[in-house]
Amino acid sequence: MATCRSHARSPPMLTLAVVVVVVIIVWADFCNAEEAGQRVSLKSDLHGPPPASQWDALWHFTVNLITYASLLVPAFFVIRWLQNSPHLTHGPSIFSKAVRSCVLGLDSLMPTLEEGGSAASGIAGGGDSNVNARMLKIQQLEESIPRSVRLAICVLGLQVSYVTWGILQERIMTKTYGGENTSEEGQAERFTNSQFLVLVNRILAFAVACTAVVVIPHPAHATPLYKYSFCSISNILSSWCQYEALKFVTFPTQVVFKSCKVIPVMVMGKFVSHRTYAWYEYGIAALISVGVSIFLLADGSHSSKAGASTTVAGVIILCGYLTFDSFTSNWQKALFDQYKVSPLQMMMGVNLFSCLFTLASLIQQAQLLPSLAFLQRHPEAMYNITLLSVFSAVGQLFIYYTVRTFGPLPFTIIMTTRQLISIITSCILYGHVISVLGVAGAALAFIAVFTQAYLKSRGGAGGGSGAKKKPLSATVQANPSSPSKSLS
């Protein structure tokens, strides 16, 4: 009965935790308002011309929502029409098969036993002996390498990929290109189009996923393609919020704030998927919110020393990131459970729609050509963005393999260490100042994240480092569509 009462009180507790974080940050921003002139002046000295008003970002966010709605609403009616048009979806032509795979999935293609289908055939592709043989060969080759060597490779790959990714992310969104202090000619400019950055990331990730799916054997794909579009939109928006927030908060602030993602994930899981959580998970969520609040409050009091501040708009954008990210993970888990889709297939499907949506949005808003022109004027920016996308895509592959092979506990330890290294590196390279109180708040948040993973592994929820090895195509319960997920 005590457990039931705990679950009944959990939504207000989680909501209160979120409200406390936001209120503390708004209060800190208000208390530091008189230093705004000093902050802007110093930011101009350190980073070049300051960005536009913080509220412009919220306006651009609204425009992005309207743009995606203009794509999704017509697509919804088209899909419903196709689903109710059997003459278009059940014909023998290639067109009909393509339409079926988009709106109905592989289930509609499988013959029943009465029609001559076999019991071995199904969405998992269990009857394909060639696929099984290839999977067995790859697994044998993998197991010929000592486990400790594979773990060392994963640690090195994750650290290099995501520490470099974080450095490049901050370089692109907070520094200027061109001007007197660089080898490039022309006036100093700041790259401001976060959506174009998302597009380039998704193109590289889609290419990597396609290559991996071709090289590594996978079961037959059963998911209706259109179902990837929902988590694709939320993934695009979460990535946009992640990049855009760097215009208004420091990179260390962003990293620590992202550790709060467990709170909206639990809220979304409670109301969307009707899940229940253990008592310690609510306690950990509260500890994380306290740690993040302490860090952000300390960051606000020292922002004028580092030339960057935690603004109200920055906090709103980061809250948007947490919300969209939590929806993405919950929706993808539902697809994993229903269709047994592999992580690489998920990565390919989500990034396919992400490429289409971001490209269409950039064209609608007339931002594609200006972004390309910026890269033409500043080749260094093109080099940085390409590297960012490469490390992002490669890092996702390390995420899949690490979680599948070693379990979530070692993965959490690796990525928590990576976050700490990223914060230290950012402070060294870009001159951020973190007070002792801020360090204590960050440590509390990271310790809570680690404790959550450890307790889950002890309780059997995560299958710790000693978990039984799954086949190559097994489902990995980690968000496979963006490096910002899975504690990135």
Side-chain angles (χ1 to χ4, degrees):
M1 296 298 294
T3 303
C4 295
R5 289 194 298 268
S6 172
H7 292 332
R9 295 194 302 266
S10 58
M13 290 172 59
L14 293 174
T15 304
L16 180 62
V18 176
V19 171
V20 168
V21 173
V22 175
V23 169
I24 288 179
I25 302 313
V26 173
W27 178 78
D29 185 69
F30 176 79
C31 291
N32 289 285
E34 66 274 9
E35 300 176 3
Q38 299 177 9
R39 288 200 301 264
V40 172
S41 176
L42 185 55
K43 178 176 280 191
S44 301
D45 295 337
L46 293 178
H47 305 303
S53 168
Q54 56 176 312
W55 303 113
D56 288 348
L58 301 180
W59 167 248
H60 290 314
F61 175 72
T62 304
V63 172
N64 287 340
L65 289 179
I66 296 174
T67 302
Y68 293 134
S70 70
L71 299 172
L72 286 177
V73 172
F76 170 79
F77 290 105
V78 171
I79 290 172
R80 291 295 298 271
W81 174 66
L82 290 174
Q83 289 175 336
N84 296 315
S85 303
H87 63 285
L88 294 177
T89 58
H90 289 79
S93 65
I94 297 177
F95 173 78
S96 295
K97 292 180 180 180
V99 173
R100 278 202 302 274
S101 66
C102 290
V103 301
L104 298 177
L106 190 61
D107 289 340
S108 62
L109 301 178
M110 289 299 173
T112 63
L113 292 175
E114 290 79 5
E115 295 172 337
S118 65
S121 64
I123 61 173
D128 194 336
S129 58
N130 292 331
V131 171
N132 292 336
R134 289 177 59 195
M135 292 172 65
L136 181 59
K137 288 182 179 179
I138 293 179
Q139 185 169 327
Q140 290 173 346
L141 177 62
E142 175 187 330
E143 292 177 347
S144 65
I145 303 174
R147 184 178 178 86
S148 58
V149 174
R150 285 181 282 153
L151 178 60
I153 293 174
C154 289
V155 172
L156 181 63
L158 287 169
Q159 298 294 346
V160 171
S161 296
Y162 284 121
V163 170
T164 308
W165 172 77
I167 293 172
L168 290 170
Q169 180 186 184
E170 186 169 11
R171 167 67 183 94
I172 293 168
M173 297 306 300
T174 65
K175 307 298 180 179
T176 57
Y177 292 93
E180 298 178 355
N181 296 328
T182 69
S183 59
E184 298 178 356
E185 298 180 356
Q187 185 178 1
E189 295 181 276
R190 189 188 296 267
F191 183 82
T192 59
N193 197 329
S194 300
Q195 191 169 210
F196 181 82
L197 196 58
V198 175
L199 172 62
V200 179
N201 271 258
R202 298 304 177 261
I203 291 175
L204 266 294
F206 178 68
V208 170
C210 289
T211 304
V213 168
V214 171
V215 173
I216 302 174
H218 280 76
H221 183 268
T223 312
L225 291 180
Y226 82 92
K227 290 197 173 184
Y228 291 120
S229 63
F230 300 102
C231 54
S232 173
I233 288 291
S234 60
N235 178 251
I236 291 171
L237 291 172
S238 67
S239 297
W240 183 91
C241 290
Q242 178 177 248
Y243 295 132
E244 195 73 12
L246 285 176
K247 299 177 182 178
F248 309 105
V249 301
T250 64
F251 180 76
T253 300
Q254 183 209 65
V255 172
V256 176
F257 197 96
K258 284 162 61 177
S259 66
C260 250
K261 68 172 64 176
V262 65
I263 298 175
V265 166
M266 292 174 68
V267 173
M268 198 73 68
K270 188 74 176 179
F271 290 103
V272 175
S273 304
H274 305 290
R275 297 178 192 164
T276 58
Y277 299 94
W279 63 269
Y280 69 83
E281 294 182 276
Y282 297 113
I284 287 173
L287 284 178
I288 291 175
S289 64
V290 171
V292 172
S293 300
I294 293 174
F295 178 87
L296 293 175
L297 185 60
D299 175 73
S301 64
H302 286 76
S303 59
S304 61
K305 299 178 182 179
S309 61
T310 300
T311 64
V312 176
V315 173
I316 294 174
I317 293 172
L318 284 175
C319 289
Y321 160 79
L322 295 177
T323 302
F324 291 117
D325 181 67
S326 62
F327 174 84
T328 300
S329 60
N330 278 277
W331 185 269
Q332 288 183 334
K333 187 180 186 305
L335 295 182
F336 280 133
D337 294 341
Q338 182 177 358
Y339 297 101
K340 309 304 178 186
V341 59
S342 75
L344 288 175
Q345 289 171 338
M346 177 74 75
M347 178 180 174
M348 185 172 66
V350 171
N351 284 297
L352 170 63
F353 279 98
S354 297
C355 292
L356 297 176
F357 285 139
T358 51
L359 180 61
S361 179
L362 286 169
I363 293 174
Q364 280 190 343
Q365 299 180 40
Q367 294 180 351
L368 180 61
L369 293 182
S371 298
L372 294 175
F374 183 95
L375 299 185
Q376 186 178 16
R377 292 193 301 272
H378 305 288
E380 183 187 354
M382 180 171 60
Y383 175 74
N384 289 339
I385 291 174
T386 302
L387 276 182
L388 176 79
S389 303
V390 169
F391 282 110
S392 169
V394 172
Q396 291 179 59
L397 299 180
F398 280 108
I399 286 178
Y400 303 144
Y401 184 82
T402 303
V403 176
R404 178 181 66 84
T405 305
F406 304 103
L409 179 57
F411 172 73
T412 301
I413 295 173
I414 295 171
M415 294 306 285
T416 302
T417 305
R418 194 281 303 173
Q419 290 178 312
L420 296 175
I421 295 175
S422 294
I423 291 176
I424 294 172
T425 304
S426 177
C427 292
I428 294 174
L429 293 179
Y430 301 114
H432 301 303
V433 177
I434 301 178
S435 66
V436 175
L437 183 61
V439 172
L444 178 61
F446 288 132
I447 290 173
V449 171
F450 170 78
T451 303
Q452 181 194 37
Y454 175 74
L455 292 176
K456 276 191 172 184
S457 67
R458 288 286 300 272
S465 58
K468 182 179 179 181
K469 180 176 175 58
K470 299 179 181 179
L472 191 62
S473 59
T475 298
V476 179
Q477 297 303 331
N479 191 337
S481 60
S482 172
S484 66
K485 317 303 182 293
S486 301
L487 297 178
S488 54

